[in-house]
Amino acid sequence: MNDSKKYRVYRGCVTAGRWILFAVVAFLILFPVYWIFISSITPPGELFKMPIDYLPDNPTLDSYKFLIENVGLFAKIGNTILIVGITLLISTVICSMAAYAFSRFQSKGISIAFAFIIATMLIPEVVTARPLYEFMQKVGLYDTYPGLIILYISAVIPFTVLILRNFAGEIPISLEEAASIDGATFTQRLFQVVLPLMKPAIATVCIINFITCLNNFFTPLYYSNGIQVLSVAIVQLPLRDNMYGVPWDLVSAMGWIILLPIIIFVAVFEKQIMDGIMAGGVKA
Amino acid sequence: MKKKIVSVMLSAVMAAGLLAGCGGGSKDNASSGGGSAKGDYDMTLYSINTTDPDFDEWLKNVEDATGLKIHVIAAPTDSDTRQQKITTVLSTGDTSVDVIEINDEMSASFKNSGWLEGLNDTVMTEDIRGQFPQGYLEDMITDKSGNIVGVPGYSGYLAFWVNQQIMDEVGITTIDTKEDFMKYMKAVSGNGRYGYGGSWEKTYSFNEIAQFVNMFGGDYFDWTNPANKEAIQFLHDMVADGNTPIDQIADKYEQMNPKINDGKYGSWFMWGLGTDYEKAGMLGADKVHMAMVPDFSGKGERAIFTDSWSYVLSKSSKNKDAALKFLKYMADEGGMEASYKAFDRYPARADVAEKIVPDTDPAKEMYSRYAAECNVKGRPMLPQTMEFISDIGTIFQSCMKDEITVDEFCTKAQEMVDKYSK
């Protein structure tokens, strides 16, 4: 066998290996998603049939119909969009400017402030839950949109500031100096030079924060009663006949409803996510 | 200097951004997804039934009958989440909730906490009290000072179920004693079919362990009692003899019921009125039906557990008059009838059940017999309910898999009782 043939065989083996690895990883990730979907369209009586049916005999959309008719699905979607939308808007504005400040200005106080913000990522939610619950009630923010939005924002700030600060630090200061020489004011440098260059990172954190907020279960569950969002809805499905049975068909349907926007979002913004992750040095 | 000004401006924008969030919503239109709109209301109910298709009809009935405007909050139906949330609501003195629906596990945790209002003189007065299952009232919703802290919303039994087709096939007409039960096990088991089936997932197994301990005349809180050991040995031998499958240690009710519908089990214990069997066309006197609990004691004593969800009044409530009016209605015939019609919840009061449940309801005869002929009790629970249940379930599974002996199980179970009783 000559060298070029050996090389072709080697390349073929590498390619085949890659595809096999890809197929295994894809299967591991996609099979649970497939199973959630199949469970959501399977009548409850057939869910635990043995041997397992990988395609339901009598597919039905009854679970989705039930969620729309009885669980206030559209109201929950509306609440979710409102809270997540405002959270993303405010947190992005605040964090972009904070990240710029943290990357460009140096002082002991700023370093401490930055360390303080990052350190809050290390505090488990349950540790602060009880005092925060009482605080939210005392200040009248419990079970209100502003209260939830503030909590959502505070949850995404540390991660967002960290990523954007790292990214802003990579933008050469010489660009700002050149703009300065051309007569740009500080505000012009910030809004017309730096922030446009931060777009990929901002897009990335927006997408990641969108997913984080959509998946946030603890905050809306703990700090609200009346305002219900999609993530909590999954634990508010009706108990079955004996009050101990889990309605897995409804849980699967609700899971799929929560999953779908994330899949669409990631599929649409995949390039920006990857660009941002590479550029910002996010270890995904 | 310029940088300082910009820093100040950036800080101001941050603050403004946060404050802008504060203007973004209103509490008045906050309720969604299963509750009535928040506004002027007399009391707030924290309910697990809000996603039931007939909930609105039930609420209208209650509001019309009581004249109250009730604000409803949907409680999580997932047990762990719900328990955490309600614990927080009650322990923080949250005044936004007046009446809460709690299950037995929560009742065991909360009844002696001082967070719930006693109802002896207001709702659960002597004339009414006598109509509820006494064992349940004493075991589950009476605090250490003798105050009844809840109104049972329905009555459920951990009923004994049999498959009549299998009984006919093996020629056994009745399972009345331990000997009958064993005879049935032997006749039915084999070829992938078992005389007895259960849900032995580590938390679900609690019901059956307690039921068998009860049937053998044991005491769930005293594992030095020989009857307890006899019960566990009995369950262990059923596995060893192939009368019940070991793989049911992975089963909850969702996995168990399809096996029942497929005719894999000859008998079992189960809560509820058999809706899953009805949907599968398996409910009926000639198919799957409830039966009288066998007498394992040999003394004519039949043990059965009852469960319920109870309405409790938070001590922090600021709408106690309205809440008491609501509770009185729920303890009364009208409230029980509304729940029966809307949610298929069997009335907790014997007199009401007799009056409003039609004779055509297949559960009526057996529920009446359970109430009259059995020693009805609430399940044995400790304040740290879920931890206790889960730990006992774990060692039970080990015992059934022969990883530990029955003696070791009893020793460990007693240690857990001591640990979680403190």
Side-chain angles (χ1 to χ4, degrees):
Chain A
M1 203 188 288
N2 60 30
D3 281 354
S4 82
K5 207 169 181 182
K6 269 186 188 169
Y7 181 69
R8 278 206 303 276
V9 171
Y10 168 75
R11 285 285 303 271
C13 288
V14 169
T15 309
R18 274 188 193 150
W19 275 102
I20 290 169
L21 187 66
F22 165 76
V24 170
V25 172
F27 177 79
L28 289 175
I29 294 168
L30 293 178
F31 186 75
V33 177
Y34 163 78
W35 195 248
I36 293 171
F37 177 68
I38 288 301
S39 300
S40 74
I41 58 167
T42 304
E46 293 176 22
L47 270 174
F48 295 98
K49 244 170 68 176
M50 293 298 275
I52 295 169
D53 270 344
Y54 291 94
L55 280 174
D57 293 334
N58 306 297
T60 171
L61 292 175
D62 283 355
S63 304
Y64 294 93
K65 202 175 148 204
F66 183 92
L67 293 180
I68 291 166
E69 288 175 355
N70 299 298
V71 186
L73 188 64
F74 293 123
K76 291 178 203 297
I77 291 173
N79 285 339
T80 308
I81 291 171
L82 181 72
I83 292 168
V84 173
I86 295 175
T87 298
L88 288 185
L89 190 71
I90 296 174
S91 66
T92 305
V93 172
I94 293 170
C95 295
S96 304
M97 290 191 278
Y100 176 79
F102 283 130
S103 75
R104 288 291 188 263
F105 304 117
Q106 303 296 326
S107 79
K108 207 173 175 183
I110 288 174
S111 300
I112 291 170
F114 181 70
F116 186 75
I117 289 174
I118 301 305
T120 59
M121 286 170 85
L122 304 174
I123 304 170
E125 271 179 317
V126 287
V127 174
T128 54
R130 175 67 188 263
L132 197 53
Y133 183 91
E134 291 185 50
F135 173 78
M136 296 291 281
Q137 282 196 318
K138 277 182 186 153
V139 297
L141 285 172
Y142 178 79
D143 200 17
T144 63
Y145 286 102
L148 282 177
I149 290 166
I150 288 171
L151 291 172
Y152 270 72
I153 291 172
S154 68
V156 299
I157 278 178
F159 171 78
T160 313
V161 168
L162 176 67
I163 298 306
L164 293 182
R165 176 197 176 253
N166 289 347
F167 192 88
E170 305 264 309
I171 298 170
I173 201 155
S174 55
L175 290 175
E176 285 185 72
E177 287 168 350
S180 220
I181 289 165
D182 289 341
T185 62
F186 177 80
T187 315
Q188 286 172 319
R189 291 199 321 259
L190 175 61
F191 287 102
Q192 290 174 17
V193 177
V194 178
L195 285 182
L197 288 170
M198 286 175 71
K199 267 186 195 168
I202 290 173
T204 305
V205 290
C206 277
I207 292 161
I208 294 172
N209 285 344
F210 172 77
I211 296 168
T212 306
C213 291
L214 213 57
N215 285 335
N216 192 340
F217 174 74
F218 188 80
T219 302
L221 173 78
Y222 213 71
Y223 302 105
S224 106
N225 278 333
I227 303 172
Q228 290 167 15
V229 296
L230 279 177
S231 58
V232 177
I234 208 155
V235 296
Q236 285 173 327
L237 300 168
L239 296 166
R240 285 270 151 80
D241 168 46
N242 58 32
M243 304 298 279
Y244 298 99
V246 180
W248 288 112
D249 51 327
L250 300 178
V251 170
S252 302
M254 185 55 86
W256 187 246
I257 288 167
I258 296 171
L259 207 56
L260 196 61
I262 296 175
I263 292 173
I264 294 170
F265 210 74
V266 171
V268 171
F269 294 105
E270 186 208 353
K271 192 174 176 304
Q272 284 87 339
I273 295 175
M274 293 314 294
D275 287 351
I277 286 171
M278 299 299 180
V282 185
K283 302 286 187 294
Chain B
M1 184 63 190
K2 214 170 185 181
K3 281 184 179 176
K4 275 185 183 172
I5 293 168
V6 172
S7 301
V8 170
M9 281 177 67
L10 287 177
S11 305
V13 171
M14 282 176 72
L18 281 169
L19 290 172
C22 297
S26 157
K27 198 175 176 180
D28 291 342
N29 57 3
S31 186
S32 60
S36 59
K38 224 185 237 186
D40 289 332
Y41 48 81
D42 301 305
M43 57 158 278
T44 300
L45 169 67
Y46 201 70
S47 172
I48 49 142
N49 288 315
T50 58
T51 47
D52 190 291
D54 297 320
F55 181 79
D56 289 341
E57 191 189 318
W58 173 86
L59 185 63
K60 188 177 178 307
N61 174 303
V62 176
E63 287 186 332
D64 289 348
T66 57
L68 297 170
K69 174 85 178 145
I70 301 171
H71 173 233
V72 181
I73 294 171
T77 43
D78 166 65
S79 57
D80 288 340
T81 311
R82 181 180 53 235
Q83 185 130 354
Q84 288 163 17
K85 175 86 183 183
I86 294 179
T87 303
T88 309
V89 168
L90 290 172
S91 66
T92 54
D94 187 343
T95 55
S96 65
V97 176
D98 302 303
V99 175
I100 303 174
E101 270 183 286
I102 64 169
N103 62 1
D104 293 347
E105 288 82 350
M106 284 189 275
S107 189
S109 299
F110 302 151
K111 66 180 179 182
N112 291 317
S113 62
W115 301 333
L116 304 176
E117 194 73 42
L119 303 171
N120 289 28
D121 303 327
T122 48
V123 181
M124 298 296 279
T125 46
E126 265 182 55
D127 52 325
I128 287 181
R129 239 181 280 168
Q131 298 298 335
F132 286 94
Q134 295 305 297
Y136 182 81
L137 290 188
E138 285 160 23
D139 294 339
M140 299 313 306
I141 53 169
T142 303
D143 71 13
K144 56 191 172 196
S145 313
N147 291 314
I148 296 176
V149 293
V151 177
Y154 74 93
S155 189
Y157 287 103
L158 184 58
F160 183 60
W161 291 78
V162 292
N163 184 321
Q164 190 62 45
Q165 288 170 334
I166 296 177
M167 286 183 76
D168 293 344
E169 183 193 317
V170 298
I172 289 178
T173 52
T174 175
I175 306 170
D176 200 44
T177 62
K178 193 169 93 177
E179 288 67 38
D180 291 346
F181 186 80
M182 288 310 301
K183 210 168 117 189
Y184 185 58
M185 293 296 108
K186 283 195 174 65
V188 171
S189 303
N191 298 321
R193 195 169 71 178
Y194 299 91
Y196 179 81
S199 290
W200 285 3
E201 186 272 343
K202 69 175 179 179
T203 52
Y204 281 59
S205 60
F206 161 72
N207 292 311
E208 287 167 67
I209 306 169
Q211 175 64 31
F212 274 88
V213 166
N214 224 2
M215 288 201 300
F216 275 90
D219 176 354
Y220 202 76
F221 297 132
D222 177 13
W223 287 90
T224 58
N225 186 328
N228 289 31
K229 186 183 167 187
E230 200 184 345
I232 301 301
Q233 187 68 54
F234 184 82
L235 290 168
H236 177 271
D237 292 347
M238 280 214 298
V239 175
D241 297 342
N243 295 329
T244 196
I246 185 62
D247 58 12
Q248 69 194 4
I249 60 171
D251 288 356
K252 293 184 177 181
Y253 294 146
E254 297 85 47
Q255 288 83 23
M256 180 189 176
N257 280 339
K259 292 177 185 174
I260 289 164
N261 289 330
D262 289 344
K264 296 264 170 67
Y265 295 152
S267 64
W268 61 96
F269 283 97
M270 178 58 77
W271 300 104
L273 304 178
T275 309
D276 280 345
Y277 315 137
E278 191 177 13
K279 280 180 191 161
M282 286 297 289
L283 188 69
D286 55 343
K287 293 173 185 168
V288 160
H289 62 86
M290 288 182 211
M292 179 46 72
V293 183
D295 164 24
F296 272 40
S297 68
K299 301 172 200 162
E301 288 170 9
R302 299 174 197 275
I304 196 164
F305 286 129
T306 182
D307 80 331
S308 187
W309 282 74
S310 300
Y311 295 99
V312 296
L313 172 57
S314 168
K315 225 168 203 170
S316 308
S317 165
K318 289 187 174 165
N319 302 309
K320 281 189 182 148
D321 289 343
L324 287 171
K325 199 171 180 187
F326 169 83
L327 291 172
K328 275 179 191 163
Y329 182 65
M330 296 322 296
D332 205 4
E333 183 183 328
M336 296 214 165
E337 187 171 13
S339 296
Y340 175 67
K341 284 184 176 161
F343 310 133
D344 296 329
R345 305 277 186 262
Y346 201 85
R349 272 174 57 171
D351 58 336
V352 174
E354 188 54 41
K355 202 169 166 189
I356 67 169
V357 178
D359 293 337
T360 50
D361 188 324
K364 187 173 185 180
E365 186 204 342
M366 199 45 72
Y367 266 39
S368 303
R369 282 188 64 197
Y370 284 153
E373 298 172 32
C374 296
N375 180 15
V376 180
K377 284 183 176 178
R379 287 171 294 165
M381 292 179 179
L382 293 173
Q384 291 184 66
T385 323
M386 293 316 293
E387 292 87 345
F388 178 54
I389 287 173
S390 177
D391 282 1
I392 294 264
T394 302
I395 58 167
F396 173 74
Q397 289 184 340
S398 296
C399 180
M400 295 300 114
K401 288 190 287 180
D402 277 332
E403 290 168 1
I404 58 172
T405 64
V406 172
D407 283 326
E408 284 170 331
F409 171 85
C410 292
T411 308
K412 284 173 188 284
Q414 188 57 49
E415 285 168 9
M416 282 163 195
V417 171
D418 296 340
K419 179 181 169 186
Y420 292 114
S421 300
K422 283 173 189 169

